[in-house]
Amino acid sequence: MKKTQGSILIIDDNQEALIALDMYLSKHFTHIQTERNPNLIPNLARTNDFDIIILDMNFSAGINTGNEGLFWLNEILKIDPTAAVVLITAYGDIRLAVKGIKQGAHDFITKPWENEKLLATVISAYKLRKSKLEISTLKNRQQHLSANIASRFNMFRGNSPAMMPIYEIIDKVANTDANILILGENGTGKEIIARDIHKKSNQDVFITVDIASLPESLVESELFGFTKGAFTDAHENKPGRFELANDGTLYLDEIGNIPLGLQSKILTVLQNKEVNRIGSGKSTHVNFRLISATNSSLYNMVENGQFREDLLYRINTIQIEIPPLRARVEDIEGFINHFLKIYGKKYNKNNLKINAAALNKLRKHPWPGNIRELEHITEKAVIMSEGAILRTTFNLVRQGN
């Protein structure tokens, strides 16, 4: 009989009960841990990821009220609200059972127990635990989605000749699972291209990680997630971006900033489609499409020993290079009109337009900051504008602005 991949903690001051429960449940579950001292519960709950906790109701000699069990039940749920707790008592008091369930326990069994009833109760608790974890993961994913929905990525794409080959590649690769590497200067719209690919792929979620914005010490926990107690500030279980991106797209911006020591672990995830949270020995299957982006020369970094060559070849099955704005001047007017709508609405200055002289000046500007710089300049022009036609306000444009 194949065992269930589950972890059970049994807490009871009766050694014989612990032995009996351990012997029976170890036939059905992969990991059983027993403990007689309830004072160790907080440390055990914080440092382990138990699927089920079987908790005795009475620990002090001569006291049969069940209040000790209710106290420790509440302590467990404070530490881990997703815990599936099964209460166990020798007295079969239905009122006590109802009280425990109202306070968050999954179910209740009595001593002596029937093995079939015990197993059915534990399996039910295990299923509940898995459901709670799935719901928690979905909430994390929904929070991430909601934050992204609020961002402005419904941007003008442009139709310049320089961009046509890019759109052709997008159409060809969108419905594949090929990993994609997007190259380009800062501000060229690499994430916009990544989102275009995702939208056309009909995948679930789009999860982003800006590696450059994370301290090196946090990159691993952000990507891999962690279990509570894995390190000082790990107060709860948290899925990483690999898990959140399951059945969707993971976008790693500035992938060249990933610490060299972490690159081998990322390569292993991409190869095996499995991820281990920090502090956990369990592997979780993940299936996501990886899109990476950088303004760095990864090939030079490989030569200098700063980036793993095998990881580079794993992430760039398809490579897309976004041209700078100065190479697609035909798109400048479209971008300006797009930003005028956004910032005109924001600053209550609707129906703004740009005159021909100002537009011609913008087309001649080198745009070292690319689309991001153009957006910044347009916002300033809207703020400074005194009429419906933008003329002199675009004199704000100058090298280095």
Side-chain angles (χ1 to χ4, degrees), residues 142-249:
Q142 186 58 48
Q143 289 173 359
H144 192 87
L145 281 171
S146 297
N148 279 303
I149 289 171
S151 62
R152 296 177 302 100
F153 283 101
N154 185 23
M155 182 179 280
F156 171 76
R157 266 53 176 173
N159 52 16
S160 61
M163 289 301 294
M164 291 301 104
I166 305 297
Y167 299 140
E168 290 178 4
I169 295 175
I170 290 174
D171 290 338
K172 290 179 180 178
V173 304
N175 285 318
T176 73
D177 61 357
N179 293 331
I180 297 171
L181 176 62
I182 303 176
L183 304 176
E185 298 177 6
N186 281 331
T188 51
K190 295 186 287 294
E191 184 170 348
I192 294 168
I193 296 300
R195 287 178 178 271
D196 275 347
I197 295 170
H198 172 73
K199 286 178 182 178
K200 293 185 177 183
S201 70
N202 295 318
Q203 290 177 316
D204 190 359
V205 293
F206 184 90
I207 304 296
T208 66
V209 187
D210 183 0
I211 303 297
S213 70
L214 294 173
E216 185 171 321
S217 59
L218 294 183
V219 175
E220 183 176 7
S221 62
E222 193 67 26
L223 292 176
F224 288 83
F226 51 82
T227 60
K228 63 180 184 298
F231 46 85
T232 303
D233 294 324
H235 302 303
E236 60 182 356
N237 295 321
K238 182 181 178 182
R241 300 299 177 89
F242 287 133
E243 287 184 65
L244 294 176
N246 192 43
D247 293 330
T249 300

Side-chain angles (χ1 to χ4, degrees), residues 127-143:
K127 290 179 179 178
L128 173 68
R129 163 72 169 177
K130 292 304 178 185
S131 295
K132 286 182 177 181
L133 292 177
E134 288 176 5
I135 290 170
S136 177
T137 299
L138 286 173
K139 285 182 178 178
N140 278 304
R141 292 175 70 162
Q142 186 58 48
Q143 289 173 359

Side-chain angles (χ1 to χ4, degrees), residues 1 18 20 51 62 107 116-118 120 130 147 164 188 237 241 247-248 251 268 273 285 294 324 360-361 379 396:
M1 180 179 61
L18 289 179
D51 293 303
D107 207 341
E116 290 184 2
K117 174 66 166 62
L118 168 67
K130 292 304 178 185
M164 291 301 104
T188 51
N237 295 321
R241 300 299 177 89
D247 293 330
Y251 176 69
T268 300
K273 298 294 185 181
H285 178 75
T294 183
N360 186 53
K361 179 178 181 180
E379 181 180 11
L396 293 165

Side-chain angles (χ1 to χ4, degrees), residues 66-138:
N67 288 332
E68 288 177 297
L70 295 177
F71 170 80
W72 289 115
L73 168 65
N74 290 327
E75 292 300 302
I76 291 168
L77 294 177
K78 285 179 186 178
I79 297 168
D80 182 7
T82 67
V85 181
V86 174
L87 302 175
I88 185 168
T89 181
Y91 300 97
D93 189 333
I94 299 301
R95 289 174 298 176
L96 180 60
V98 171
K99 188 175 182 180
I101 291 171
K102 284 183 176 180
Q103 292 187 16
H106 170 69
D107 207 341
F108 174 91
I109 58 176
T110 60
K111 298 177 184 176
W113 57 82
E114 297 179 4
N115 282 344
E116 290 184 2
K117 174 66 166 62
L118 168 67
L119 183 60
T121 301
V122 172
I123 289 175
S124 175
Y126 176 78
K127 290 179 179 178
L128 173 68
R129 163 72 169 177
K130 292 304 178 185
S131 295
K132 286 182 177 181
L133 292 177
E134 288 176 5
I135 290 170
S136 177
T137 299
L138 286 173

